[in-house]
Amino acid sequence: MILRLGELLHLPAGVPDVEGDVVRLRYALMLLAVVWSALRARGHSALALLAGLAFVLIAQGFWATTLGRPYGLFLDAQITKCAGDVSVAAVAAASPAEGLVVDEPGSCRLWAGLARRLGPSTYLLLLPTLVTVVVHPLIGVLVYALWPRREQAFAASFLWLAFSTGDLETVRGVGFVPGLWMHPGSAVLLVLLVAAVLAASRLALRAFAVEALGASVLALWLFVRAPFAGRSITETLLLLTLDQTPWWLLAAWAWRRGTEPSARALILGGAGLVLAGTFPLGVDAWGAQAFYRLGLLLAAAGPVTGIADRVGAALSRVLPRRLPASDLGAAALVLAGAPVCFLAWWTPNRLDPLMDASREPVADRLVAAMEWIRGHTPPSSVFLASPDYSPSVAVLGGRRVLRAPTLGSAADELRRERMEDKVLSGRDPGRLGDLYGLTHVFIAPGDFPSYGIRAPEDLEQQPGFQLLYADAADNRVYAITRPRAAGGGRDSSLARPNPRH
């Protein structure tokens, strides 16, 4: 199981180094900005777009490769629960509706459904990280390919690539780029909705049809549930106006002179969704803000192109070699905007405590123990583990657990606690023994002291436990070998290691 993007790229642990290599990152981005501008000055729009994509990918990919684990894993309850549901869906023999806690429904149905199709891939837990790196440039490609006013397509894609995120909206918690790590599933849906709106405009439908279709498509975002942020109406109005300076001014200027219906649909739909986020409707404000910001940037592409053309005409008169004014203007736009954009100076480890904590890798011995569980226990196994290690068993081991109280309580949490008490105390669980299909116990030093367990080997002093695995850190896996109550719905055979191993 690969947990960090650097390992996928064959980078050793600690590479890149945030403190030492960030200066090289800034220089590399400045160089790419020059290449981006030079290619556009020579009229190579497609190659210039590729340079812009490289600018964005390197800026985001650098910080993604500094993570020692997937963003928020074992640090944020929601992210960890989703990762556990995904791992269990890919590996464990469970019903499609079941999550990491046995007999409890799962969450993250999009990712869990994808995991069932992919199976136990070693890259599974990296998929959200990869999504967050490619979504931003992918939208830039869609804008360049589908924007109907071809003379504005390069400026529109540049504005999105360079200015999709602003400092003020980032401070308010809805910046597009910083929010990608918390919203990988929503980001996939956002790309699909943006593609639908842009494609409708590209098909040259009537303006009212494009706007109606755009509003209908964006209305789907109402079904993306998110916690209520509790943002005041004053903050929301600032988010829609002053926080978007100068883009809302340019968009307003373009609106009076006729901008594309798709841009109007994104602006109106996004603004409506942002306003809806001030009420406890569960609207994902991050995605709503992304729609609104994209609409403003697309509308601003017309005025920006006009300004760039005037700058290019002035430059063409003073330069010794005559180049088309439109190419020179677009090149000047890139050279002026890319070096000062949010991505060029983004330092997420200082802005996001969760990102900074995610730079710490998961302990190697814990990963090894979980890999043993994944490879040497049946997929149908159900584990009892302490609150600290239940998420690890689910995420890294791919096995369902009896309880995971750090991620949330089950509907029958009290009954599960009674089951845990009976198993660890060496008492006959009775009918509870067959209720959850419990087969194994994972125990580490310091676990379950309230049951009188001073060390993991204390379980061997009780009947009904067979030691299967122990490592130098004294992490242990026991099989529960006592017969379970007869007549239950689950397999009543004894738990044993997978004979294939």
Side-chain angles (χ1 to χ4, degrees), residues 92-246:
S95 66
E98 197 170 7
L100 66 94
V101 176
V102 62
D103 292 340
E104 281 288 301
S107 59
C108 295
R109 295 183 180 179
L110 170 68
W111 293 107
L114 180 63
R116 290 188 189 94
R117 289 169 174 78
L118 292 178
S121 169
T122 56
Y123 311 111
L124 188 63
L125 294 179
L126 274 184
L127 287 180
T129 302
L130 293 172
V131 165
T132 58
V133 172
V134 303
V135 159
H136 185 188
L138 180 57
I139 294 177
V141 172
L142 289 174
V143 169
Y144 183 80
L146 298 178
W147 190 240
R149 302 186 182 184
R150 301 312 301 161
E151 73 280 3
Q152 300 174 11
F154 180 83
S157 64
F158 166 75
L159 291 178
W160 170 255
L161 292 175
F163 299 108
S164 63
T165 306
D167 294 330
L168 293 177
E169 61 196 31
T170 299
V171 172
R172 298 191 194 281
V174 291
F176 176 74
V177 170
L180 278 169
W181 281 337
M182 284 292 293
H183 302 83
S186 300
V188 174
L189 179 59
L190 187 142
V191 170
L192 296 177
L193 297 182
V194 167
V197 174
L198 292 176
S201 184
R202 181 67 168 161
L203 291 174
L205 301 177
R206 290 181 179 271
F208 74 88
V210 174
E211 292 173 352
L213 177 61
S216 301
V217 168
L218 296 189
L220 293 175
W221 198 259
L222 292 171
F223 295 96
V224 180
R225 299 290 90 187
F228 177 50
R231 187 175 293 105
S232 69
I233 189 66
T234 301
E235 287 183 302
T236 299
L237 292 177
L238 289 173
L239 186 61
L240 293 174
T241 54
L242 295 182
D243 290 2
Q244 307 303 325
T245 305

Side-chain angles (χ1 to χ4, degrees), residues 237-498:
L237 292 177
L238 289 173
L239 186 61
L240 293 174
T241 54
L242 295 182
D243 290 2
Q244 307 303 325
T245 305
W247 311 117
W248 69 279
L249 294 172
L250 292 169
W253 185 89
W255 192 293
R256 296 183 60 188
R257 288 157 178 79
T259 187
E260 279 296 312
S262 56
R264 295 199 297 268
L266 287 166
I267 291 172
L268 293 175
L273 290 170
V274 171
L275 287 170
T278 61
F279 305 98
L281 302 176
V283 176
D284 187 347
W286 169 81
Q289 169 65 17
F291 289 128
Y292 179 66
R293 180 84 171 193
L294 175 59
L296 291 179
L297 294 174
L298 293 180
V304 168
T305 301
I307 294 170
D309 287 345
R310 292 185 179 89
V311 172
L315 290 174
S316 66
R317 289 193 293 268
V318 300
L319 291 178
R321 181 180 178 184
R322 290 301 181 96
L323 293 172
S326 59
D327 292 339
L328 280 176
L333 173 65
V334 172
L335 196 58
V340 299
C341 71
F342 177 87
L343 272 178
W345 301 98
W346 180 38
T347 311
N349 61 307
R350 296 181 181 177
L351 299 174
D352 187 349
L354 193 57
M355 182 275 170
D356 193 43
S358 299
R359 293 165 53 201
E360 181 70 24
V362 181
D364 291 340
R365 287 178 176 174
L366 179 62
V367 173
M370 296 303 131
E371 287 181 348
W372 188 94
I373 288 174
R374 183 182 289 262
H376 293 78
T377 61
S380 58
S381 303
V382 179
F383 272 74
L384 190 159
S386 69
D388 290 337
Y389 289 102
S390 289
S392 300
V393 171
V395 175
L396 304 180
R399 299 295 181 260
R400 294 167 296 165
V401 295
L402 177 67
R403 299 176 60 229
T406 59
L407 306 181
S409 298
D412 56 346
E413 190 71 14
L414 292 178
R415 186 163 57 183
R416 293 170 187 265
E417 289 179 6
R418 291 200 303 271
M419 174 69 176
E420 179 180 277
D421 176 62
K422 290 186 176 184
V423 170
L424 296 176
S425 301
R427 294 180 289 158
D428 183 4
R431 287 181 295 179
L432 286 176
D434 194 63
L435 185 60
Y436 301 109
L438 200 60
T439 59
H440 295 81
V441 174
F442 175 82
I443 185 170
D447 286 349
F448 308 117
S450 60
Y451 297 106
I453 298 175
R454 294 169 297 179
E457 58 268 23
D458 287 355
L459 281 184
E460 298 176 26
Q461 301 174 8
Q462 300 180 10
F465 293 100
Q466 177 188 353
L467 178 65
L468 301 180
Y469 172 87
D471 61 18
D474 213 14
N475 298 313
R476 296 187 174 217
V477 176
Y478 290 92
I480 301 174
T481 59
R482 66 171 62 87
R484 280 174 271 165
R490 296 184 185 271
D491 183 8
S492 61
S493 63
L494 303 183
R496 57 178 61 89
N498 191 333

